[in-house]
Coordinates of all heavy atoms in Angstrom, one line a residue:
M1 N -58.4 -51.1 -33.6 CA -58.4 -52.2 -32.6 C -58.2 -51.5 -31.3 O -57.3 -50.6 -31.0 CB -57.2 -53.1 -32.9 CG -57.1 -54.3 -32.0 SD -55.8 -55.5 -32.3 CE -56.1 -56.0 -34.0
S2 N -59.0 -52.0 -30.3 CA -58.9 -51.4 -29.0 C -57.7 -51.9 -28.2 O -57.1 -52.9 -28.5 CB -60.2 -51.9 -28.2 OG -60.1 -53.2 -27.8
T3 N -57.4 -51.1 -27.2 CA -56.2 -51.4 -26.4 C -56.4 -52.6 -25.6 O -55.5 -53.5 -25.4 CB -55.9 -50.3 -25.4 OG1 -55.9 -49.0 -26.1 CG2 -54.6 -50.4 -24.7
L4 N -57.7 -53.0 -25.2 CA -58.0 -54.1 -24.5 C -57.7 -55.4 -25.4 O -57.1 -56.4 -25.0 CB -59.4 -54.2 -24.0 CG -59.8 -55.5 -23.2 CD1 -59.0 -55.6 -22.0 CD2 -61.3 -55.4 -22.9
K5 N -58.1 -55.3 -26.7 CA -57.9 -56.4 -27.6 C -56.4 -56.6 -27.8 O -55.9 -57.7 -27.8 CB -58.6 -56.1 -28.9 CG -58.4 -57.0 -30.0 CD -59.6 -57.8 -30.2 CE -59.5 -58.7 -31.5 NZ -60.1 -59.9 -31.3
I6 N -55.6 -55.5 -27.9 CA -54.2 -55.7 -28.0 C -53.6 -56.3 -26.8 O -52.8 -57.2 -26.9 CB -53.6 -54.3 -28.3 CG1 -54.0 -53.8 -29.7 CG2 -52.0 -54.3 -28.2 CD1 -53.6 -52.3 -30.0
F7 N -54.1 -56.0 -25.6 CA -53.6 -56.5 -24.4 C -53.9 -58.0 -24.3 O -53.1 -58.8 -23.8 CB -54.2 -55.8 -23.2 CG -53.7 -56.3 -21.8 CD1 -52.3 -56.3 -21.5 CD2 -54.6 -56.7 -20.8 CE1 -51.8 -56.8 -20.3 CE2 -54.2 -57.1 -19.6 CZ -52.8 -57.1 -19.3
R8 N -55.1 -58.4 -24.7 CA -55.5 -59.8 -24.8 C -54.6 -60.7 -25.7 O -54.1 -61.7 -25.4 CB -56.9 -60.0 -25.2 CG -57.9 -59.5 -24.0 CD -59.3 -59.8 -24.4 NE -59.6 -61.2 -24.3 CZ -60.5 -61.9 -24.9 NH1 -61.4 -61.2 -25.7 NH2 -60.7 -63.2 -24.8
I9 N -54.2 -60.1 -26.8 CA -53.3 -60.8 -27.8 C -51.9 -60.8 -27.2 O -51.3 -61.9 -27.2 CB -53.3 -60.0 -29.2 CG1 -54.7 -60.1 -29.9 CG2 -52.2 -60.5 -30.0 CD1 -54.8 -59.1 -31.0
I10 N -51.5 -59.8 -26.6 CA -50.2 -59.8 -25.9 C -50.1 -60.8 -24.8 O -49.1 -61.5 -24.6 CB -49.7 -58.3 -25.4 CG1 -49.6 -57.4 -26.6 CG2 -48.5 -58.4 -24.5 CD1 -48.3 -57.7 -27.5
A11 N -51.1 -60.9 -24.0 CA -51.3 -61.8 -22.9 C -51.2 -63.2 -23.4 O -50.5 -64.0 -22.9 CB -52.6 -61.6 -22.2
F12 N -51.9 -63.6 -24.5 CA -51.9 -64.9 -25.1 C -50.5 -65.2 -25.6 O -49.9 -66.2 -25.3 CB -52.9 -65.0 -26.3 CG -52.8 -66.3 -27.0 CD1 -53.4 -67.5 -26.5 CD2 -52.2 -66.4 -28.2 CE1 -53.3 -68.6 -27.1 CE2 -52.1 -67.6 -28.8 CZ -52.6 -68.8 -28.2
L13 N -49.9 -64.3 -26.4 CA -48.5 -64.5 -26.8 C -47.5 -64.7 -25.8 O -46.6 -65.5 -25.9 CB -48.1 -63.4 -27.9 CG -48.9 -63.3 -29.2 CD1 -48.5 -62.1 -30.0 CD2 -48.7 -64.6 -29.9
E14 N -47.6 -63.8 -24.7 CA -46.7 -64.0 -23.6 C -46.8 -65.2 -22.9 O -45.8 -65.9 -22.6 CB -47.0 -62.8 -22.6 CG -45.8 -62.5 -21.6 CD -45.8 -63.3 -20.5 OE1 -46.8 -64.0 -20.0 OE2 -44.7 -63.5 -19.9
G15 N -48.0 -65.7 -22.7 CA -48.3 -67.1 -22.1 C -47.6 -68.2 -22.9 O -47.0 -69.1 -22.4
V16 N -47.8 -68.1 -24.3 CA -47.3 -69.2 -25.1 C -45.8 -69.1 -25.1 O -45.1 -70.1 -25.0 CB -47.9 -69.0 -26.6 CG1 -47.1 -69.9 -27.6 CG2 -49.3 -69.4 -26.6
S17 N -45.2 -67.9 -25.2 CA -43.7 -67.8 -25.2 C -43.2 -68.2 -23.9 O -42.0 -68.8 -23.9 CB -43.3 -66.3 -25.5 OG -43.6 -65.5 -24.4
Y18 N -43.8 -68.1 -22.8 CA -43.4 -68.5 -21.4 C -43.3 -70.1 -21.4 O -42.4 -70.6 -21.1 CB -44.3 -68.0 -20.3 CG -43.8 -68.2 -19.0 CD1 -42.4 -68.4 -18.7 CD2 -44.6 -68.2 -17.9 CE1 -42.0 -68.6 -17.4 CE2 -44.2 -68.3 -16.6 CZ -42.9 -68.6 -16.4 OH -42.5 -68.7 -15.1
L19 N -44.4 -70.7 -22.0 CA -44.4 -72.1 -21.9 C -43.4 -72.7 -22.9 O -42.7 -73.7 -22.6 CB -45.9 -72.6 -22.3 CG -46.9 -72.3 -21.4 CD1 -48.3 -72.7 -21.9 CD2 -46.7 -72.9 -20.0
L20 N -43.1 -72.0 -24.1 CA -42.1 -72.5 -25.0 C -40.8 -72.3 -24.4 O -39.9 -73.3 -24.5 CB -42.2 -71.7 -26.3 CG -43.4 -72.0 -27.2 CD1 -43.4 -71.1 -28.4 CD2 -43.4 -73.6 -27.7
L21 N -40.5 -71.3 -23.7 CA -39.3 -71.0 -23.1 C -39.0 -72.1 -22.0 O -37.8 -72.5 -21.7 CB -39.2 -69.6 -22.5 CG -37.8 -69.1 -22.0 CD1 -36.8 -69.2 -23.1 CD2 -38.0 -67.7 -21.5
M22 N -40.0 -72.4 -21.2 CA -39.9 -73.5 -20.2 C -39.5 -74.8 -20.9 O -38.6 -75.5 -20.4 CB -41.1 -73.6 -19.4 CG -41.4 -72.5 -18.4 SD -42.9 -72.5 -17.5 CE -43.0 -74.2 -17.0
C23 N -40.1 -75.1 -21.9 CA -39.8 -76.4 -22.7 C -38.3 -76.2 -23.2 O -37.7 -77.3 -23.1 CB -40.8 -76.6 -23.9 SG -42.4 -77.0 -23.3
A24 N -38.0 -75.1 -23.7 CA -36.6 -74.9 -24.2 C -35.6 -75.1 -23.1 O -34.5 -75.7 -23.4 CB -36.5 -73.6 -24.9
S25 N -35.9 -74.6 -21.9 CA -35.1 -74.9 -20.8 C -34.9 -76.3 -20.4 O -33.7 -76.8 -20.1 CB -35.6 -74.1 -19.6 OG -35.6 -72.7 -19.8
V26 N -36.0 -77.1 -20.5 CA -35.9 -78.5 -20.2 C -35.0 -79.2 -21.3 O -34.2 -80.1 -21.0 CB -37.3 -79.2 -20.2 CG1 -37.2 -80.6 -20.1 CG2 -38.0 -78.6 -18.9
Y27 N -35.2 -78.8 -22.5 CA -34.4 -79.3 -23.6 C -32.9 -79.0 -23.4 O -32.1 -79.8 -23.7 CB -35.0 -78.7 -24.9 CG -34.2 -79.3 -26.1 CD1 -34.6 -80.5 -26.7 CD2 -33.1 -78.7 -26.8 CE1 -33.9 -81.0 -27.8 CE2 -32.5 -79.1 -27.8 CZ -32.9 -80.3 -28.3 OH -32.2 -80.9 -29.5
K28 N -32.6 -77.7 -23.0 CA -31.3 -77.4 -22.8 C -30.6 -78.3 -21.7 O -29.5 -78.7 -21.8 CB -31.2 -75.9 -22.3 CG -29.8 -75.4 -21.9 CD -29.9 -74.0 -21.3 CE -28.6 -73.7 -20.7 NZ -28.6 -72.3 -20.1
R29 N -31.4 -78.5 -20.6 CA -30.8 -79.4 -19.5 C -30.6 -80.8 -19.9 O -29.7 -81.5 -19.5 CB -31.7 -79.3 -18.3 CG -32.1 -78.0 -17.7 CD -30.8 -77.5 -16.9 NE -31.1 -76.2 -16.3 CZ -30.4 -75.2 -16.4 NH1 -29.2 -75.2 -17.0 NH2 -30.7 -74.0 -15.8
T30 N -31.5 -81.3 -20.7 CA -31.5 -82.7 -21.2 C -30.5 -83.0 -22.3 O -30.0 -84.1 -22.4 CB -32.9 -83.3 -21.4 OG1 -33.5 -82.5 -22.5 CG2 -33.7 -83.2 -20.2
H31 N -30.4 -82.0 -23.2 CA -29.6 -82.2 -24.4 C -28.3 -81.3 -24.5 O -27.5 -81.5 -25.4 CB -30.4 -82.0 -25.7 CG -31.5 -83.0 -25.8 ND1 -32.8 -82.9 -25.2 CD2 -31.5 -84.1 -26.6 CE1 -33.5 -83.9 -25.6 NE2 -32.8 -84.7 -26.4
G32 N -28.2 -80.4 -23.6 CA -27.0 -79.5 -23.5 C -26.9 -78.5 -24.6 O -25.9 -78.0 -24.9
D33 N -28.1 -78.3 -25.3 CA -28.2 -77.4 -26.4 C -29.0 -76.1 -26.0 O -30.2 -76.3 -25.8 CB -28.8 -78.1 -27.7 CG -28.9 -77.2 -28.9 OD1 -28.4 -76.1 -28.9 OD2 -29.6 -77.7 -29.8
D34 N -28.5 -75.0 -25.9 CA -29.2 -73.8 -25.5 C -29.7 -72.9 -26.6 O -30.0 -71.8 -26.4 CB -28.3 -72.9 -24.5 CG -27.2 -72.3 -25.2 OD1 -26.8 -72.7 -26.3 OD2 -26.6 -71.3 -24.6
S35 N -29.6 -73.5 -27.9 CA -30.1 -72.6 -29.0 C -31.5 -72.2 -29.0 O -31.9 -71.1 -29.3 CB -29.8 -73.4 -30.3 OG -30.5 -74.6 -30.4
F36 N -32.4 -73.0 -28.4 CA -33.8 -72.7 -28.4 C -34.0 -71.6 -27.2 O -34.9 -70.8 -27.4 CB -34.7 -73.9 -28.1 CG -34.7 -74.8 -29.3 CD1 -34.3 -76.1 -29.1 CD2 -35.3 -74.4 -30.4 CE1 -34.3 -77.0 -30.3 CE2 -35.3 -75.3 -31.6 CZ -34.8 -76.6 -31.5
V37 N -33.3 -71.7 -26.2 CA -33.4 -70.7 -25.1 C -33.0 -69.3 -25.7 O -33.6 -68.4 -25.4 CB -32.5 -71.1 -23.9 CG1 -32.5 -70.0 -22.9 CG2 -33.1 -72.4 -23.2
R38 N -31.9 -69.3 -26.4 CA -31.4 -68.1 -26.9 C -32.4 -67.6 -28.0 O -32.6 -66.4 -28.0 CB -30.0 -68.3 -27.6 CG -29.0 -68.4 -26.5 CD -27.5 -68.3 -27.0 NE -27.2 -69.7 -27.6 CZ -26.9 -69.9 -28.8 NH1 -26.8 -69.0 -29.8 NH2 -26.6 -71.2 -29.3
L39 N -33.0 -68.4 -28.7 CA -34.0 -68.0 -29.8 C -35.2 -67.5 -29.2 O -35.7 -66.4 -29.6 CB -34.3 -69.2 -30.7 CG -35.3 -69.0 -31.8 CD1 -34.7 -68.1 -32.8 CD2 -35.7 -70.3 -32.3
L40 N -35.7 -68.0 -28.0 CA -37.0 -67.6 -27.5 C -36.9 -66.6 -26.3 O -37.9 -65.9 -26.0 CB -37.7 -68.8 -27.0 CG -38.1 -69.9 -28.0 CD1 -38.5 -71.2 -27.3 CD2 -39.2 -69.4 -28.8
G41 N -35.7 -66.3 -25.8 CA -35.5 -65.5 -24.7 C -35.9 -64.1 -25.0 O -36.7 -63.4 -24.2
M42 N -35.4 -63.5 -26.0 CA -35.7 -62.1 -26.3 C -37.1 -61.8 -26.7 O -37.7 -60.9 -26.1 CB -34.7 -61.5 -27.4 CG -35.0 -60.1 -27.8 SD -34.6 -58.9 -26.5 CE -32.8 -58.9 -26.6
P43 N -37.7 -62.5 -27.5 CA -39.2 -62.3 -27.8 C -40.0 -62.5 -26.5 O -40.9 -61.6 -26.3 CB -39.6 -63.4 -28.8 CG -38.3 -63.8 -29.5 CD -37.3 -63.6 -28.4
H44 N -39.7 -63.4 -25.6 CA -40.4 -63.6 -24.4 C -40.3 -62.4 -23.6 O -41.2 -61.8 -22.9 CB -40.1 -64.9 -23.7 CG -40.6 -64.9 -22.3 ND1 -42.0 -65.1 -22.1 CD2 -40.1 -64.8 -21.1 CE1 -42.2 -65.0 -20.7 NE2 -41.1 -64.8 -20.2
G45 N -39.1 -61.9 -23.4 CA -38.8 -60.7 -22.6 C -39.5 -59.5 -23.1 O -40.1 -58.7 -22.3
L46 N -39.5 -59.3 -24.4 CA -40.3 -58.2 -25.0 C -41.8 -58.3 -24.7 O -42.5 -57.2 -24.3 CB -40.0 -58.0 -26.4 CG -38.6 -57.7 -26.8 CD1 -38.4 -57.8 -28.4 CD2 -38.2 -56.2 -26.3
L47 N -42.3 -59.4 -24.8 CA -43.7 -59.7 -24.6 C -44.0 -59.5 -23.1 O -45.1 -58.9 -22.8 CB -44.2 -61.1 -25.1 CG -44.2 -61.2 -26.6 CD1 -44.3 -62.7 -26.9 CD2 -45.4 -60.5 -27.2
F48 N -43.2 -59.9 -22.3 CA -43.4 -59.7 -20.8 C -43.4 -58.2 -20.5 O -44.4 -57.8 -19.7 CB -42.2 -60.4 -20.0 CG -42.3 -60.0 -18.5 CD1 -43.2 -60.7 -17.7 CD2 -41.5 -59.1 -18.0 CE1 -43.2 -60.4 -16.4 CE2 -41.4 -58.8 -16.6 CZ -42.3 -59.4 -15.8
V49 N -42.5 -57.4 -21.0 CA -42.5 -56.0 -20.8 C -43.7 -55.4 -21.3 O -44.3 -54.4 -20.7 CB -41.2 -55.4 -21.4 CG1 -41.2 -53.9 -21.3 CG2 -40.0 -55.8 -20.6
A50 N -44.1 -55.7 -22.5 CA -45.4 -55.2 -23.1 C -46.6 -55.6 -22.3 O -47.5 -54.7 -22.1 CB -45.5 -55.7 -24.6
Y51 N -46.6 -56.8 -21.8 CA -47.8 -57.2 -20.9 C -47.9 -56.3 -19.7 O -48.9 -55.8 -19.4 CB -47.6 -58.6 -20.6 CG -48.7 -59.2 -19.6 CD1 -49.8 -59.8 -20.2 CD2 -48.5 -59.2 -18.3 CE1 -50.8 -60.3 -19.3 CE2 -49.5 -59.7 -17.4 CZ -50.7 -60.3 -18.0 OH -51.6 -60.7 -17.2
V52 N -46.8 -56.1 -19.0 CA -46.8 -55.4 -17.7 C -47.1 -53.9 -18.1 O -47.9 -53.3 -17.3 CB -45.4 -55.4 -17.0 CG1 -45.4 -54.6 -15.8 CG2 -45.3 -57.0 -16.5
A53 N -46.5 -53.3 -19.1 CA -46.8 -51.9 -19.4 C -48.2 -51.7 -19.8 O -48.8 -50.7 -19.4 CB -45.8 -51.5 -20.6
L54 N -48.8 -52.6 -20.6 CA -50.2 -52.5 -21.0 C -51.1 -52.7 -19.8 O -52.1 -52.0 -19.6 CB -50.6 -53.5 -22.1 CG -50.2 -53.0 -23.5 CD1 -50.3 -54.2 -24.5 CD2 -50.9 -51.9 -23.9
A55 N -50.8 -53.5 -18.8 CA -51.5 -53.7 -17.7 C -51.5 -52.4 -16.8 O -52.6 -52.0 -16.4 CB -51.0 -54.9 -16.8
I56 N -50.4 -51.8 -16.7 CA -50.4 -50.6 -15.9 C -51.1 -49.5 -16.7 O -51.8 -48.7 -16.0 CB -48.8 -50.2 -15.7 CG1 -48.2 -51.1 -14.8 CG2 -48.7 -48.7 -15.2 CD1 -46.7 -51.0 -14.7
F57 N -51.0 -49.4 -18.0 CA -51.7 -48.4 -18.7 C -53.3 -48.6 -18.6 O -54.0 -47.6 -18.5 CB -51.3 -48.6 -20.2 CG -52.1 -47.7 -21.1 CD1 -51.8 -46.3 -21.2 CD2 -53.1 -48.1 -22.0 CE1 -52.4 -45.4 -22.0 CE2 -53.7 -47.2 -22.8 CZ -53.5 -45.9 -22.9
L58 N -53.7 -49.9 -18.6 CA -55.2 -50.1 -18.6 C -55.7 -50.1 -17.1 O -57.0 -50.1 -17.1 CB -55.5 -51.5 -19.1 CG -55.3 -51.6 -20.7 CD1 -55.5 -53.0 -21.2 CD2 -56.3 -50.7 -21.5
Q59 N -54.9 -50.1 -16.2 CA -55.4 -50.1 -14.8 C -56.4 -48.9 -14.5 O -57.4 -49.0 -14.0 CB -54.2 -49.9 -13.8 CG -54.7 -50.0 -12.4 CD -53.5 -49.8 -11.3 OE1 -52.4 -49.5 -11.8 NE2 -53.8 -50.1 -10.1
S60 N -56.0 -47.7 -15.0 CA -56.8 -46.6 -14.7 C -58.1 -46.6 -15.6 O -59.2 -46.1 -15.1 CB -56.1 -45.2 -15.0 OG -55.7 -45.2 -16.4
T61 N -58.0 -47.1 -16.8 CA -59.2 -47.1 -17.6 C -60.3 -48.1 -17.1 O -61.4 -47.8 -17.1 CB -58.8 -47.7 -19.1 OG1 -57.8 -46.8 -19.6 CG2 -60.0 -47.8 -20.0
Y62 N -59.8 -49.2 -16.6 CA -60.8 -50.2 -16.0 C -61.0 -50.2 -14.5 O -61.7 -51.0 -14.0 CB -60.5 -51.6 -16.6 CG -60.7 -51.7 -18.0 CD1 -59.6 -51.7 -18.9 CD2 -62.0 -51.8 -18.6 CE1 -59.8 -51.7 -20.3 CE2 -62.2 -51.8 -20.0 CZ -61.1 -51.8 -20.8 OH -61.3 -51.9 -22.1
K63 N -60.3 -49.2 -13.9 CA -60.4 -49.1 -12.5 C -60.2 -50.3 -11.6 O -60.9 -50.8 -10.7 CB -61.9 -48.6 -12.0 CG -62.3 -47.4 -12.9 CD -62.0 -46.1 -12.3 CE -62.6 -44.9 -13.0 NZ -61.9 -44.4 -14.1
W64 N -59.1 -51.0 -12.0 CA -58.7 -52.3 -11.3 C -58.2 -51.8 -9.9 O -57.3 -51.0 -9.8 CB -57.7 -53.1 -12.1 CG -58.2 -53.7 -13.3 CD1 -59.4 -54.1 -13.6 CD2 -57.4 -53.9 -14.6 NE1 -59.5 -54.6 -14.9 CE2 -58.3 -54.5 -15.4 CE3 -56.1 -53.6 -14.9 CZ2 -57.9 -54.9 -16.8 CZ3 -55.8 -54.0 -16.2 CH2 -56.7 -54.6 -17.1
D65 N -58.6 -52.5 -8.9 CA -58.1 -52.3 -7.5 C -56.7 -53.0 -7.4 O -56.3 -53.6 -8.3 CB -59.1 -52.7 -6.5 CG -59.5 -54.2 -6.5 OD1 -58.8 -54.9 -7.4 OD2 -60.3 -54.7 -5.8
F66 N -56.1 -52.8 -6.2 CA -54.8 -53.3 -6.0 C -54.8 -54.8 -6.1 O -53.9 -55.4 -6.7 CB -54.3 -52.9 -4.6 CG -52.9 -53.5 -4.3 CD1 -51.8 -52.8 -4.8 CD2 -52.8 -54.6 -3.5 CE1 -50.5 -53.3 -4.6 CE2 -51.5 -55.1 -3.2 CZ -50.4 -54.4 -3.8
K67 N -55.8 -55.5 -5.5 CA -55.8 -57.0 -5.6 C -55.9 -57.5 -7.1 O -55.2 -58.4 -7.5 CB -57.0 -57.5 -4.8 CG -57.1 -59.0 -4.8 CD -58.3 -59.5 -4.0 CE -58.5 -61.0 -4.2 NZ -59.8 -61.4 -3.6
T68 N -56.8 -56.9 -7.8 CA -56.9 -57.3 -9.2 C -55.7 -57.1 -10.0 O -55.3 -57.9 -10.8 CB -58.1 -56.5 -9.9 OG1 -59.4 -56.8 -9.1 CG2 -58.3 -56.9 -11.3
M69 N -55.1 -55.9 -9.8 CA -53.9 -55.5 -10.5 C -52.7 -56.5 -10.2 O -52.0 -56.9 -11.0 CB -53.4 -54.1 -10.2 CG -52.4 -53.6 -11.1 SD -52.9 -53.5 -12.8 CE -51.4 -53.0 -13.5
A70 N -52.7 -56.9 -8.9 CA -51.6 -57.8 -8.4 C -51.8 -59.2 -9.0 O -50.9 -59.8 -9.5 CB -51.7 -57.9 -6.9
I71 N -53.1 -59.5 -9.2 CA -53.3 -60.9 -9.9 C -53.0 -60.8 -11.3 O -52.4 -61.8 -11.9 CB -54.8 -61.3 -9.6 CG1 -55.1 -61.7 -8.2 CG2 -55.2 -62.5 -10.6 CD1 -56.5 -61.9 -7.8
I72 N -53.3 -59.7 -11.9 CA -53.0 -59.5 -13.4 C -51.5 -59.6 -13.7 O -51.0 -60.2 -14.5 CB -53.6 -58.3 -13.9 CG1 -55.2 -58.5 -14.0 CG2 -53.1 -57.9 -15.4 CD1 -56.0 -57.3 -14.4
I73 N -50.7 -58.8 -12.8 CA -49.3 -58.8 -12.9 C -48.7 -60.2 -12.6 O -47.8 -60.7 -13.3 CB -48.7 -57.7 -12.0 CG1 -49.1 -56.3 -12.5 CG2 -47.1 -57.8 -12.0 CD1 -48.6 -56.0 -13.9
A74 N -49.1 -60.8 -11.5 CA -48.7 -62.1 -11.2 C -48.9 -63.3 -12.3 O -48.2 -64.2 -12.4 CB -49.3 -62.6 -9.8
G75 N -50.0 -62.9 -13.0 CA -50.3 -63.9 -14.1 C -49.2 -64.0 -15.1 O -49.1 -65.0 -15.8
S76 N -48.4 -62.9 -15.2 CA -47.3 -63.0 -16.2 C -46.0 -63.8 -15.6 O -45.1 -64.1 -16.3 CB -46.8 -61.6 -16.6 OG -46.2 -60.9 -15.4
L77 N -46.1 -64.0 -14.3 CA -45.0 -64.8 -13.6 C -45.3 -66.3 -13.4 O -44.3 -67.0 -13.1 CB -44.7 -64.1 -12.3 CG -44.4 -62.6 -12.4 CD1 -44.3 -62.0 -10.9 CD2 -43.1 -62.4 -13.1
I78 N -46.5 -66.7 -13.6 CA -46.9 -68.1 -13.2 C -47.2 -68.7 -14.6 O -48.0 -68.2 -15.5 CB -48.1 -68.0 -12.3 CG1 -47.8 -67.3 -11.0 CG2 -48.6 -69.4 -12.1 CD1 -49.0 -67.0 -10.2
P79 N -46.7 -70.0 -14.9 CA -47.2 -70.6 -16.0 C -48.6 -70.8 -16.1 O -49.4 -71.1 -15.2 CB -46.5 -72.1 -15.8 CG -45.4 -71.9 -14.9 CD -45.8 -70.7 -13.9
F80 N -49.1 -70.6 -17.3 CA -50.6 -70.6 -17.6 C -51.4 -69.4 -17.0 O -52.5 -69.3 -17.1 CB -51.3 -71.9 -17.2 CG -50.8 -73.1 -17.9 CD1 -49.8 -73.9 -17.3 CD2 -51.1 -73.4 -19.2 CE1 -49.3 -75.0 -17.9 CE2 -50.6 -74.5 -19.9 CZ -49.7 -75.3 -19.3
G81 N -50.7 -68.5 -16.3 CA -51.3 -67.4 -15.6 C -51.9 -66.4 -16.5 O -53.0 -65.9 -16.2
T82 N -51.3 -66.1 -17.6 CA -52.0 -65.1 -18.6 C -53.3 -65.7 -19.2 O -54.1 -64.9 -19.4 CB -51.0 -64.7 -19.7 OG1 -50.6 -65.9 -20.4 CG2 -49.8 -64.0 -19.1
F83 N -53.3 -66.9 -19.2 CA -54.6 -67.6 -19.8 C -55.7 -67.4 -18.8 O -56.8 -67.2 -19.1 CB -54.4 -69.0 -20.2 CG -53.2 -69.3 -21.2 CD1 -52.1 -70.0 -20.8 CD2 -53.2 -68.7 -22.4 CE1 -51.0 -70.2 -21.7 CE2 -52.2 -68.8 -23.3 CZ -51.1 -69.6 -22.9
Y84 N -55.4 -67.6 -17.5 CA -56.3 -67.5 -16.4 C -56.8 -66.0 -16.4 O -58.0 -65.7 -16.3 CB -55.7 -67.9 -15.0 CG -56.6 -67.5 -13.9 CD1 -57.7 -68.3 -13.6 CD2 -56.3 -66.4 -13.1 CE1 -58.5 -68.0 -12.5 CE2 -57.1 -66.1 -12.0 CZ -58.1 -66.8 -11.7 OH -59.0 -66.4 -10.6
V85 N -55.9 -65.1 -16.4 CA -56.2 -63.7 -16.4 C -57.1 -63.3 -17.5 O -58.0 -62.6 -17.4 CB -54.9 -62.8 -16.4 CG1 -55.1 -61.4 -16.7 CG2 -54.1 -62.9 -15.1
D86 N -56.8 -63.7 -18.7 CA -57.6 -63.5 -19.9 C -59.1 -64.0 -19.6 O -60.0 -63.3 -19.9 CB -57.0 -64.1 -21.2 CG -57.9 -63.8 -22.3 OD1 -58.1 -62.5 -22.7 OD2 -58.4 -64.7 -23.0
H87 N -59.1 -65.2 -19.2 CA -60.4 -65.8 -19.0 C -61.3 -65.2 -17.8 O -62.5 -64.9 -18.0 CB -60.3 -67.4 -18.7 CG -61.6 -68.1 -18.5 ND1 -62.5 -68.3 -19.5 CD2 -62.2 -68.5 -17.3 CE1 -63.6 -68.9 -18.9 NE2 -63.4 -69.0 -17.7
K88 N -60.6 -64.9 -16.8 CA -61.3 -64.3 -15.5 C -61.5 -62.9 -15.6 O -62.5 -62.4 -15.2 CB -60.5 -64.8 -14.3 CG -61.1 -64.3 -13.0 CD -62.2 -65.2 -12.6 CE -62.5 -64.8 -11.2 NZ -63.5 -65.6 -10.6
Y89 N -60.5 -62.1 -16.1 CA -60.5 -60.6 -16.0 C -60.7 -59.9 -17.3 O -61.3 -58.8 -17.3 CB -59.2 -60.2 -15.3 CG -59.2 -60.7 -13.9 CD1 -58.5 -61.8 -13.5 CD2 -59.9 -60.0 -12.8 CE1 -58.4 -62.2 -12.2 CE2 -59.8 -60.4 -11.5 CZ -59.1 -61.6 -11.3 OH -59.0 -62.0 -9.9
L90 N -60.1 -60.4 -18.4 CA -60.1 -59.6 -19.6 C -61.3 -60.0 -20.5 O -61.9 -59.0 -21.1 CB -58.8 -59.8 -20.3 CG -57.6 -59.5 -19.5 CD1 -56.3 -59.7 -20.4 CD2 -57.6 -58.1 -19.0
K91 N -61.6 -61.2 -20.6 CA -62.7 -61.6 -21.6 C -64.1 -61.0 -21.2 O -64.8 -60.5 -22.1 CB -62.8 -63.2 -21.6 CG -63.7 -63.7 -22.7 CD -63.6 -65.3 -22.7 CE -64.4 -65.8 -23.9 NZ -64.3 -67.2 -23.9
P92 N -64.4 -60.9 -19.8 CA -65.7 -60.3 -19.5 C -65.7 -58.8 -19.9 O -66.8 -58.3 -20.1 CB -65.8 -60.5 -17.9 CG -64.9 -61.6 -17.7 CD -63.8 -61.5 -18.7
L93 N -64.6 -58.2 -20.1 CA -64.6 -56.7 -20.4 C -64.8 -56.6 -21.9 O -65.1 -55.5 -22.3 CB -63.3 -56.1 -20.0 CG -62.9 -56.1 -18.5 CD1 -61.6 -55.5 -18.3 CD2 -64.0 -55.3 -17.7
A94 N -64.4 -57.5 -22.7 CA -64.5 -57.5 -24.2 C -65.9 -57.4 -24.7 O -66.9 -57.7 -24.2 CB -63.7 -58.5 -24.8

């Protein structure tokens, strides 16, 4: 399996985990139960670190300029951002 394929999978999982964590945060605020936040926090953190590390690793392979790299990294910070990055930047490379 190629590194790009692994990055695309990590990007998808990171995006899903981010959205689930946001929903868990809303649940925590409305119901006072933080069990879902504690359950989802660590996996999301690991996926975030893997996403950023793989983006940095792939930067030299695909010759991403500063702007492209900034958008790819920012995609991990914005809800639905990793899905946009996959569609706009990663899918055309596959």
Side-chain angles (χ1 to χ4, degrees):
M1 186 178 301
S2 73
T3 310
L4 180 63
K5 178 103 172 146
I6 293 169
F7 184 53
R8 290 185 70 203
I9 292 168
I10 294 293
F12 175 77
L13 293 174
E14 199 277 336
V16 169
S17 73
Y18 190 21
L19 295 175
L20 288 173
L21 190 57
M22 287 176 45
C23 291
S25 295
V26 170
Y27 184 82
K28 174 185 172 183
R29 301 282 184 232
T30 57
H31 293 85
D33 179 12
D34 69 342
S35 59
F36 292 117
V37 173
R38 286 188 282 121
L39 178 70
L40 296 169
M42 179 65 76
H44 170 69
L46 293 173
L47 288 166
F48 173 78
V49 170
Y51 178 90
V52 171
L54 280 170
I56 291 168
F57 177 77
L58 290 173
Q59 180 182 14
S60 62
T61 303
Y62 292 101
K63 312 270 190 277
W64 291 329
D65 60 3
F66 180 80
K67 179 183 173 187
T68 302
M69 190 63 184
I71 291 169
I72 289 171
I73 295 296
S76 67
L77 303 173
I78 301 167
F80 299 100
T82 58
F83 305 119
Y84 171 78
V85 167
D86 181 59
H87 178 73
K88 179 82 173 177
Y89 295 95
L90 304 179
K91 193 174 184 181
L93 298 174

